């Protein structure tokens, strides 16, 4: 091989390697989406604490807004403002009642995928109360809730005694007691308020279904997830607070959606 031929071959090899390296670098440095975690009724941002820690460790920006729990329309209006302040791609994750909000917010600019964790996945015109009554198994009802009346409305909380059984059966009793004591009430009217939007069919969807859920019947969660065309991950025996009892599994599903 003459010198000129050798130089040509070497130059082509360098360009090829450089091109591969550049493409790999671009892929590696592609910004990760922001993960927005929406808590549900009778809960607050602490229900996402274990998942948040893992996502942040893996390099994700995480936003866990305080959901007002005043009703689907009011909460959607508030959270739209939150999402509009987040630049770039977003993954929306909803727990329980938060799933209804995820569906309402799915058309927001930048939303790339949806994750439902022990959550409602309603369609337009449905209510979460009717969906929860469609299948037997939910223990949320008059026997397990307290009503707080005030001028202008009624809020609901889960009674301290059944809180662990209904929400957190696979968590230590002391942890469940703290969660029960710090729960946030939800407006009772939220359960009868119709959802206005169905999540767009083209958005990738994932659903985590804890088979030991006593707040939303697993059969109801399965029905809604299959109807929505979601990729389903079932967690055997897990409670409604599966994000606290099995955070690694939930984190893995969210990161799959983020990719």
């Amino acid at each position: 091989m003459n010198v000129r031929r050798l130089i040509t071959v070497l130059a082509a090899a360098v360009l090829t390697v450089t091109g591969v390296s550049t493409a790999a670098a671009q892929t590696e440095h592609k910004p990760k989406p922001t993960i927005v975690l929406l808590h549900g009724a009778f809960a607050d941002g602490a229900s996402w604490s274990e998942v948040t820690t893992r996502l942040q460790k893996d390099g994700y920006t995480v936003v866990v807004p305080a959901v007002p729990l005043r009703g689907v329309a009011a909460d959607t209006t508030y959270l739209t403002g939150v999402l509009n302040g987040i630049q770039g791609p977003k993954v929306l994750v909803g727990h329980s009642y938060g799933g209804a909000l995820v569906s309402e917010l799915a058309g927001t600019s930048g939303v790339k995928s949806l994750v439902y964790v022990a959550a409602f996945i309603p369609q337009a015109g449905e209510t979460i109360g009717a969906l929860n009554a469609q299948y037997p198994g939910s223990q949320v009802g008059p026997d397990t809730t307290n009503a707080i009346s005030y001028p202008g409305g009624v809020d609901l909380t889960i009674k301290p005694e059944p809180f662990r059984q209904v929400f957190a059966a696979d968590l230590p009793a002391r942890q469940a007691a703290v969660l029960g004591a710090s729960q946030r009430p939800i407006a009772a009217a939220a359960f009868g308020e119709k959802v206005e939007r169905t999540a767009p069919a083209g958005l990738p969807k994932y659903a985590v279904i804890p088979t030991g859920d006593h707040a939303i019947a697993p059969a109801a969660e399965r029905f809604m997830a299959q109807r929505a065309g979601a990729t389903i991950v079932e967690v055997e025996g897990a409670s409604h607070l599966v994000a606290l009892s099995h955070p690694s599994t939930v984190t893995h599903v969210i990161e799959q959606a983020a990719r």
Side-chain angles (χ1 to χ4, degrees), residues 80-108:
T80 296
V82 174
L83 295 184
N84 286 341
I86 301 173
Q87 301 300 312
K90 296 174 274 288
V91 175
L92 298 188
V93 186
H95 174 246
S96 192
Y97 163 77
L101 304 178
V102 162
S103 292
E104 289 276 26
L105 295 163
T108 305

Side-chain angles (χ1 to χ4, degrees), residues 9-25:
V9 171
L10 289 175
V14 169
L15 287 173
T16 300
V17 172
T18 302
V20 171
S21 300
T22 301

Side-chain angles (χ1 to χ4, degrees), residues 106-118:
T108 305
S109 176
V111 173
K112 300 301 182 184
S113 57
L114 313 174
V115 183
Y116 299 88
V117 179

Side-chain angles (χ1 to χ4, degrees), residues 1-12:
M1 182 181 294
N2 60 40
V3 174
R4 180 174 295 178
R5 172 67 173 166
L6 178 60
I7 291 173
T8 302
V9 171
L10 289 175

